Amino acid sequence: MAVAAENQSQPPQNDLPYVLILKPPTAFSIFGDHFFHSPKFQFLKPFESPLPLPQFLLTHAQSVQAILTSASGSVTADTIRLLPRLGLVVTTSQGINHIDLSECRRRGIAVAGAGTIFSTDCADSAVGLLLDVLRKVSAANRYVKQGLWSTQGNYPLGYKVLGGKQVGIVGLGSIGTEVAKRLEAFPCSISYNSRSKKPSVPYTFYPNVVELAVNCDALIICCALTDETHHLIGKEVLSALGKDGVIINIARGPIIDEKELVQCLIKREIRGAGLDVFEHEPDVPVELLALDNVVMSPHNAVCTTESLEELRKTVVGNFEAFFSNEPLLTPVPLDDRPHSSVAR
């Protein structure tokens, strides 16, 4: 048994460079672990080894030249320090808050992300959730399927779809901009909050999220998760949004103080919420499950067949470029990171 375990921990014997996969990305569960295959590199998979991760990393420390990770797989300074030959970290997510960029910068390690691949899909989902909450589409669907239409009569009416409404976007990065483009098709006013005013856009800018909420009927969260934006949306913002307000989150769960949000929804202190992300995924507050003014999806706003295929090309292309000493396809700047684009 000891010999078998030792053999399982050893990488294949060939000359291809090694890419470490800390945790299987979502695409593996959908398409299989061949999804990111390339003839120019090979993967090391510690999750298939009987060795504990620290021991696995120590065993292969001199072999790993790159890492493939996702939003659920943290690349910490401790991990980076165990890998002296590490030169690249590629994440399948648009967000990068799970990677220690300071340590990468200190070590001269390049980082590549998903670029803007997910922007249009996320924007579609954000607007879809907003329409669903306002018109009560999912709740009415359940009402019909439960046979209640014939026994209890018509379902309560929803609200006008954005006609004359004020919609605020928190984070006008690549996804926030795509959301705004879609909202332009509706007779609504668009405003936004970001680190700074963007002179090239026609939307009203509010430097303070509370002020934005006061002047909006709906808030759509599209900003990155950082130390600054953790619990950015709390009691004060939700109260400013008011009892007729709706909040949509397709960014990251911890941007909203989930306990405060749950209480506001239960007490009807806001009208409703559309949530693709949660603070402690995959756990969802049980209180939300019984509320018809909440529409939820399992952090899949980015996941379409088309976008995952584009992701495959980008991830493989980044690794192949790195191992060929060519420019990365979607490099992440390692200077001060903006907080106005979504983290997925």
Side-chain angles (χ1 to χ4, degrees):
M1 291 297 291
V3 173
E6 182 179 351
N7 288 338
Q8 288 182 54
S9 70
Q10 296 301 315
Q13 297 300 310
N14 59 48
D15 295 330
L16 294 178
Y18 295 114
V19 175
L20 175 72
I21 305 179
L22 288 174
K23 190 174 182 179
T26 301
F28 275 21
S29 63
I30 300 173
F31 299 106
D33 61 5
H34 62 281
F35 187 65
F36 294 120
H37 172 76
S38 167
K40 296 186 177 181
F41 57 85
Q42 60 187 319
F43 288 122
L44 284 174
K45 304 172 184 177
F47 45 87
E48 293 181 353
S49 170
L51 297 177
L53 179 59
Q55 187 177 346
F56 184 94
L57 294 180
L58 287 172
T59 301
H60 301 293
Q62 297 298 325
S63 300
V64 175
Q65 297 181 52
I67 287 177
L68 172 62
T69 188
S70 61
S72 61
S74 296
V75 181
T76 64
D78 288 341
T79 297
I80 293 171
R81 289 165 188 158
L82 288 173
L83 305 172
R85 296 186 65 200
L86 182 64
L88 174 67
V89 176
V90 175
T91 179
T92 59
S93 64
Q94 195 158 328
I96 53 174
N97 63 290
H98 55 294
I99 301 172
D100 192 319
L101 297 183
S102 296
E103 185 64 17
C104 288
R105 181 167 53 245
R106 190 187 71 81
R107 281 272 306 275
I109 297 168
V111 177
T116 59
I117 289 172
F118 299 130
S119 296
T120 56
D121 289 336
C122 280
D124 289 345
S125 292
V127 175
L129 286 170
L130 180 59
L131 300 182
D132 195 330
V133 173
L134 289 171
R135 290 305 305 269
K136 304 183 179 181
V137 177
S138 293
N141 176 61
R142 288 191 296 272
Y143 188 80
V144 173
K145 287 185 174 181
Q146 291 168 2
L148 300 178
W149 189 12
S150 60
T151 59
Q152 298 187 22
N154 291 332
Y155 189 75
L157 297 176
Y159 301 92
K160 194 171 184 67
V161 178
L162 300 175
K165 287 184 167 54
Q166 311 285 327
V167 181
I169 300 172
V170 181
L172 200 66
S174 60
I175 292 177
T177 298
E178 291 294 332
V179 169
K181 289 179 183 178
R182 285 150 179 74
L183 293 175
E184 287 178 354
F186 298 91
C188 66
S189 298
I190 303 169
S191 53
Y192 72 100
N193 165 263
S194 192
R195 289 182 69 187
S196 59
K197 186 175 182 180
K198 299 181 182 298
S200 61
V201 302
Y203 319 125
T204 302
F205 170 70
Y206 290 98
N208 183 282
V209 178
V210 175
E211 187 179 357
L212 177 68
V214 167
N215 290 280
C216 286
D217 302 296
L219 279 183
I220 301 179
I221 312 303
C222 300
C223 62
L225 175 61
T226 66
D227 290 341
E228 295 174 11
T229 61
H230 183 269
H231 283 188
L232 176 68
I233 309 301
K235 179 65 175 178
E236 185 179 11
V237 174
L238 295 170
S239 297
L241 188 58
K243 62 182 181 62
D244 294 326
V246 170
I247 192 162
I248 306 297
N249 190 6
I250 47 83
R252 284 287 176 88
I255 294 171
I256 298 180
D257 185 333
E258 198 165 74
K259 290 182 179 179
E260 291 290 351
L261 176 63
V262 168
Q263 290 305 308
C264 286
L265 288 165
I266 291 174
K267 298 175 181 177
R268 303 285 169 166
E269 293 175 355
I270 62 173
R271 176 168 284 166
L275 307 172
D276 181 62
V277 290
F278 303 87
E279 191 160 1
H280 304 289
E281 296 177 2
D283 297 325
V284 175
V286 294
E287 298 94 333
L288 297 181
L289 303 181
L291 297 179
D292 275 345
N293 60 338
V294 181
V295 178
M296 297 179 286
S297 54
H299 200 153
N300 68 351
V302 301
C303 291
T304 63
T305 301
E306 295 85 352
S307 61
L308 285 180
E309 172 57 23
E310 188 65 24
L311 176 68
R312 184 192 67 78
K313 296 176 183 177
T314 301
V315 167
V316 172
N318 274 313
F319 283 125
E320 290 185 346
F322 173 74
F323 291 122
S324 301
N325 292 316
E326 297 175 357
L328 299 176
L329 303 184
T330 53
V332 173
L334 296 183
D335 51 8
D336 291 337
R337 294 295 303 155
H339 306 306
S340 57
S341 59
V342 75
R344 297 297 299 176

